[in-house]
Amino acid sequence: FAISGLHIAGIALALNTALTLLRLPSRARFLVGTAILALYVEITGGAPSAVRAFWMVTCLHGAHQLRAPTNSLAALAASALCVLVI
């Protein structure tokens, strides 16, 4: 598979929408969605662009869970830092 960040963002949006329709609470939706998205990234081979996009989505959703202002540039920087550390 050739997976890019756009695919990960699309899958994350679809997961979040499906879990919202199932009326899961916000925290459970975050945990379940992150776990499924991580599994998807690993199944597709864990390409660096997919891993970076996964961390970016996780940082954005995590900031939303902590009720912090969601900043896309800060999420990109945090995801790049996570990928570099790994």
Side-chain angles (χ1 to χ4, degrees):
F1 293 106
I3 302 299
S4 68
L6 184 61
H7 293 105
I8 300 301
I11 297 293
L13 179 64
L15 278 172
N16 194 28
T17 302
L19 294 173
T20 300
L21 290 174
L22 291 175
R23 298 188 183 269
L24 284 178
S26 180
R27 184 158 301 191
R29 194 169 56 232
F30 171 71
L31 294 173
V32 170
T34 301
I36 293 172
L37 194 60
L39 179 65
Y40 177 73
V41 169
E42 289 302 315
I43 286 173
T44 58
S49 62
V51 172
R52 185 179 61 244
F54 165 76
W55 281 109
M56 187 173 176
V57 167
T58 302
C59 289
L60 279 171
H61 284 186
H64 183 68
Q65 286 298 311
L66 296 173
R67 299 182 193 270
T70 53
N71 181 349
S72 298
L73 186 58
L76 179 62
S79 64
L81 180 64
C82 288
V83 170
L84 284 174
V85 168
I86 292 172

